[in-house]
Amino acid sequence: MRYLAVLGRQPLISVAELESLFTDVRKVAPELAEFVAEKKPEIRRLGGTQKIAMRIDGTVVDFLKTLPDTGKITLGVSDYSRGTSAFKAQGEALKLKRMLSKLGRSVRVVPNKEAVLSSATSFHNHLFGETKIELIKYGKIFYRVIGVQDIDAYVNRDQARPARDAKVGMLPPKLAQILLNLCGALPESSSVLDPFCGTGVVLQEAALMGYVPYGTDLSERMVKYTEKNLDWLYQSHKLNLDRPYIEQGDATTHAWKNPINAVACETYLGQPMSLPPVEIKLKQEKQECGGIIMRFLKNLERQVQSGTPVVIAVPAWLRPNGTYERLNLLDEIENLSYNVKSFRNLGQQDLLYHRDKQVVAREIIILRKK
């Protein structure tokens, strides 16, 4: 079955996430990517996708005739076609309403303030059900939305967890999901290691995806925070999984227990910054962060089996000219027992995750043990 993804704010990273899980992934527009999946994708597991829609084969009229003959229909239209506008999208919705009226159906149209409905509008109007519908138009092709990202759920499980720290643990849950999905489609109950677990955001998302969390951190305080947050998560979400294993340990020297089926983490990002660092400070940060990351990878390569995915987020720093300076670790990594994953239409330069003008960004590196 062919599906359409409405990509998140980091569309190239969203495409990389899709390509790690599905087949025949093609970016068809700046905000859209098509892909093929054997079963219905779960939107709640995709950090980089705002909406998922299923392609409508045949005419729109034929599709409208298949809608359940029960109750009033709520209809919204998002138009991604070239040269579109809120007026044109609303006109398309009204045209579809007239078609449904001829079929004897009562219809409420969701008004378009823009050419495309926001995820919040789609979610809060429940436009992914049997009689509450959002259609995505792209050229002459139509798709029916089958899932919308629940932003409230992300906010709630981020802010409701009992142990938070303003200086650490600020990894967005969506990015944690992306890091996990970049490992590929893992079997249920796989053991996922985060050697820099902080307050446990990656491990939290791993548990919600059905994996068994395994975390270590150099800081005893962070270990306690992770334990507290995962205890809360298991109880509040009634997770029926093996209990997480969390212990204190230095990622550059620690001996982890087996099995380790995948590794996903945000490594050491250096000191928090509110302004781009001066050159001498940047040089110091790069040396410190790069040294820790490479020692960690050398320690890990001796302890994981061939084929194990290792996905890491490493720092990159904003410069005064608006670009980001990276650690450029790939040459050093090539000397270790890892292969660097390549994507069909993406390069390493595309895997940079950051908010607008964020000083310390995250570059994602996807490896697999040789």
Side-chain angles (χ1 to χ4, degrees):
M1 186 69 68
R2 187 165 289 280
Y3 296 91
L4 185 79
V6 178
L7 306 175
R9 293 183 179 180
Q10 310 280 328
L12 297 178
I13 291 177
S14 300
V15 171
E17 179 186 27
L18 293 171
E19 194 172 323
S20 298
L21 297 173
F22 305 111
T23 59
D24 193 22
V25 179
R26 297 183 299 112
K27 193 166 181 283
V28 296
E31 299 170 283
L32 302 176
E34 270 197 343
F35 64 96
V36 173
E38 294 181 0
K39 60 181 182 179
K40 179 181 175 181
E42 296 183 68
I43 186 72
R44 64 183 180 85
R45 295 173 64 102
L46 293 171
T49 296
Q50 295 181 345
K51 301 177 188 179
I52 293 178
M54 185 168 60
R55 183 165 175 162
I56 295 174
D57 295 322
T59 68
V60 177
V61 176
D62 289 339
F63 164 74
L64 296 177
K65 290 178 180 178
T66 67
L67 296 178
D69 191 16
T70 54
K72 189 172 186 176
I73 291 175
T74 302
L75 175 67
V77 172
S78 291
D79 192 347
Y80 286 87
S81 307
R82 290 183 180 178
T84 190
S85 65
F87 177 78
K88 290 182 179 179
Q90 192 74 79
E92 191 68 46
L94 293 173
K95 183 172 74 174
L96 294 171
K97 178 181 179 179
R98 290 192 293 271
M99 291 179 184
L100 284 163
S101 296
K102 289 181 179 178
L103 296 172
R105 306 304 303 274
S106 175
V107 183
R108 178 180 79 87
V109 170
V110 178
N112 286 77
K113 296 181 180 179
E114 304 288 344
V116 300
L117 301 176
S118 70
S119 295
T121 297
S122 300
F123 185 79
H124 292 126
N125 282 278
H126 303 285
L127 298 181
F128 43 87
E130 290 189 344
T131 57
K132 295 184 177 182
I133 302 160
E134 178 182 358
L135 295 181
I136 292 178
K137 182 176 184 287
Y138 180 61
K140 297 181 179 180
I141 304 173
F142 282 87
Y143 304 81
R144 178 181 182 168
V145 172
I146 59 172
V148 181
Q149 200 172 68
D150 183 356
I151 186 61
D152 295 336
Y154 286 103
V155 172
N156 289 340
R157 66 177 180 256
D158 182 38
Q159 296 185 357
R161 56 198 180 110
R164 304 177 79 244
D165 191 304
K167 294 183 179 180
V168 298
M170 301 302 287
L171 180 74
K174 288 184 183 182
L175 178 55
Q177 281 188 322
I178 290 171
L179 296 177
L180 290 161
N181 284 327
L182 289 171
C183 292
L186 302 173
E188 275 195 30
S189 301
S190 292
S191 174
V192 176
L193 170 66
D194 182 348
F196 301 83
C197 65
T199 60
V201 179
V202 170
L203 299 181
Q204 168 183 298
E205 297 305 317
L208 290 171
M209 293 167 75
Y211 307 137
V212 178
Y214 177 18
T216 61
D217 198 281
L218 180 62
S219 166
E220 182 180 2
R221 182 166 66 99
M222 291 298 100
V223 169
K224 290 179 179 178
Y225 275 21
T226 292
E227 290 174 338
K228 192 172 184 179
N229 285 334
L230 287 175
D231 283 344
W232 165 80
L233 184 80
Y234 272 60
Q235 292 174 17
S236 62
H237 288 73
K238 297 180 173 58
L239 298 182
N240 186 25
L241 289 169
D242 290 345
R243 298 300 299 174
Y245 187 78
I246 314 298
E247 60 185 346
Q248 187 176 2
D250 184 338
T252 66
T253 58
H254 191 69
W256 294 284
K257 69 182 186 72
N258 284 315
I260 298 171
N261 302 121
V263 180
C265 64
E266 175 182 84
T267 63
Y268 179 60
L269 299 183
Q271 297 181 14
M273 297 182 183
S274 58
L275 294 172
V278 297
E279 287 298 330
I280 189 168
K281 178 62 176 176
L282 176 61
K283 184 177 180 181
Q284 292 171 350
E285 288 291 298
K286 290 179 69 175
Q287 287 178 342
E288 182 179 16
C289 294
I292 290 172
I293 293 164
M294 290 307 301
R295 291 196 299 274
F296 151 62
L297 290 174
K298 289 176 183 177
N299 182 38
L300 181 71
E301 73 172 338
R302 300 189 294 267
Q303 301 187 52
V304 293
Q305 295 183 350
S306 176
T308 303
V310 178
V311 178
I312 61 176
V314 305
W317 293 268
L318 180 66
R319 307 311 299 132
N321 64 1
T323 64
Y324 282 89
E325 185 159 340
R326 308 183 187 213
L327 285 172
N328 296 322
L329 296 175
L330 294 189
D331 289 342
E332 292 184 68
I333 290 173
E334 284 183 355
N335 296 323
L336 302 178
S337 298
Y338 299 101
N339 289 317
V340 180
K341 181 177 176 61
S342 59
F343 294 91
R344 188 170 64 181
N345 295 308
L346 301 171
Q348 185 60 40
Q349 72 278 1
D350 298 316
L351 302 179
L352 193 67
Y353 188 100
H354 62 91
R355 300 185 304 273
D356 186 39
K357 297 182 180 179
Q358 183 176 2
V359 177
V360 182
R362 299 168 174 97
E363 179 186 3
I364 302 173
I365 300 176
I366 302 113
L367 308 172
R368 193 168 288 270
K369 177 70 185 325
K370 292 180 182 177

